[in-house]
Amino acid sequence: MSIDLRSDTVTRPSEAMRAAMATADVGDDVLDGDPTTGALEALVAKTLGKERALFFPSGSMANQAAIWVHTRPGTELLCDAEAHIYHWEIAGAAALCGVQCRPVKGQGLVYRADDLRAHIRTPSIHAPEPSLVCMENTHNGAGGVVTSVEEMQAIQVVAGEHGLPVHLDGARLWNAATALQRPLSDLASCADSVMVSFSKGLGAPLGACLAGSAEFITRAHRVRKRFGGGMRQSGVVAAAAMYALQHNYGRLAEDHASARHLELVLDGAGGAKVVSPDTNIVMIDLPKPVATDVVAKALELGVRISAWHPSRVRAVTHLDAPAGVVAEAAARIRQALEAVLA
């Protein structure tokens, strides 16, 4: 049996999710609205405690739309030094919005309010002005690390001291809320705009929502159109997202428990060190730069994981890998680590 733990995006729609897609009530969302998409947007806005939400094909497009609305060309946004917006959206802020990213290097796994304060430039005619602060929760590059509501509020305060709006890349906000045992609205309240993704953790095939004030979403709607994100009978895929939110959100703690099992089995194997997971992402640090070798050996043994950088590999637990499957994967990955690192 082949086991795929490269990401929580590798899941396949269940029969029930496919049935929801097949029977979705649809319209032309570009012309006059799609009823299923509208229902999803209303549910997400209510769940996050925001005035409105807007459905996007992807989280990256939603993030870039938020940057476009919040910023102006020639300014800079501040984000964590390992943020998805900085590393994995192919310089979209620069290419699309004319904005540079100023990476904030935290003293811990993710930046904190004091780190942000230290990175906001003293006003100078020679330096770009800041226009936006971005947070990411959970933090992908740090290994699914969760930032507490209290720390998010502290970051929001620092941003407010400088008159800066806050955007939250909440692709896996579902996981953060589950780990913190807090309502999603508590986390979303710490930002002016929030992106959530349905293809990460919840098992939908695609889609994300951007939420914020009514005025913000009106402007974001125009940006989505400019980016080519207008969709016609989008209710077909919005139905999958709706199903995912209603049926798969409540089980995320199972993925977190599976991630902790991976840590238990893999930590120390061949000298590897596991970053203790807060949620469903498991980062495995290697004592030498052989990540591609470990990935190749694990594949020989029937498990797909990914190389994060030369001395780190990543495994992600998800809906299609229940506890028993993860236990089998853990044994095989341990074998791969010991074989390569021997």
Side-chain angles (χ1 to χ4, degrees):
M1 176 181 64
S2 178
I3 303 169
D4 195 341
L5 298 182
R6 289 173 297 165
S7 176
D8 49 3
T9 61
V10 301
T11 56
R12 305 290 181 89
S14 65
E15 289 303 314
M17 183 180 287
R18 291 176 187 270
M21 296 169 71
T23 58
D25 184 16
V26 299
D28 190 323
D29 198 42
V30 175
L31 291 182
D32 48 18
D34 179 287
T36 300
T37 300
L40 173 67
E41 292 168 342
L43 175 62
V44 170
K46 180 179 180 181
T47 302
L48 296 178
K50 299 298 185 186
E51 288 183 343
R52 286 182 57 197
L54 183 66
F55 188 55
F56 279 77
S58 72
S60 291
M61 183 185 285
N63 276 339
Q64 293 303 317
I67 293 169
W68 184 295
V69 174
H70 282 306
T71 66
R72 60 191 185 280
T75 61
E76 65 183 7
L77 66 84
L78 294 101
C79 62
D80 190 89
E82 299 300 326
H84 191 280
I85 283 173
Y86 181 45
H87 283 282
W88 304 114
E89 297 185 14
I90 55 173
L96 300 172
C97 307
V99 175
Q100 77 174 18
C101 293
R102 179 164 170 80
V104 178
K105 180 62 178 175
Q107 298 182 46
L109 291 175
V110 298
Y111 84 78
R112 300 172 65 88
D114 289 343
D115 302 313
L116 175 64
R117 182 178 282 110
H119 280 77
I120 297 178
R121 300 178 195 264
T122 301
S124 167
I125 193 172
H126 305 291
E129 296 177 355
S131 56
L132 178 64
V133 169
C134 294
M135 292 189 282
E136 185 176 332
N137 203 9
T138 68
H139 191 297
N140 181 15
V145 169
V146 173
T147 301
S148 71
V149 172
E150 293 72 23
E151 188 58 39
M152 292 175 72
Q153 291 171 336
I155 290 169
Q156 187 180 34
V157 167
V158 173
E161 291 171 354
H162 295 270
L164 301 175
V166 177
H167 172 64
L168 172 58
D169 178 350
R172 294 181 175 87
L173 198 65
W174 330 107
N175 295 88
T178 297
L180 293 171
Q181 298 184 333
R182 299 285 293 264
L184 283 157
S185 57
D186 284 1
L187 284 73
S189 69
C190 302
D192 298 280
S193 60
V194 184
M195 184 278 286
V196 288
S197 174
F198 304 105
S199 62
K200 296 179 176 68
L202 297 187
L206 60 87
C209 266
L210 181 63
S213 69
E215 188 271 339
F216 172 84
I217 293 299
T218 296
R219 295 176 64 192
H221 199 161
R222 293 181 63 84
V223 179
R224 188 186 72 175
K225 174 70 174 178
R226 180 176 289 123
F227 287 174
M231 297 173 284
R232 301 295 179 172
Q233 286 72 43
S234 56
V236 173
V237 285
M242 177 81 80
Y243 181 92
L245 182 54
Q246 293 175 332
H247 296 275
N248 296 339
Y249 176 32
R251 57 154 304 281
L252 288 176
E254 298 173 25
D255 294 340
H256 299 179
S258 290
R260 291 191 292 272
H261 179 77
L262 281 175
E263 177 191 20
L264 181 66
V265 174
L266 301 178
D267 193 47
K273 176 64 178 176
V274 175
V275 179
S276 189
D278 286 347
T279 52
N280 68 321
I281 299 176
V282 180
M283 294 293 194
I284 307 163
D285 288 326
L286 311 174
K288 51 188 176 180
V290 290
T292 55
D293 296 330
V294 171
V295 169
K297 185 62 178 178
L299 184 60
E300 287 181 16
L301 297 171
V303 181
R304 304 185 77 177
I305 56 177
S306 55
W308 192 253
H309 59 61
S311 59
R312 171 176 278 191
V313 296
R314 184 181 86 152
V316 186
T317 58
H318 54 76
L319 175 67
D320 287 358
V325 171
V326 171
E328 176 61 30
R332 298 184 195 178
I333 298 170
R334 183 179 180 92
Q335 185 179 347
L337 289 167
E338 290 175 340
V340 173
L341 296 173

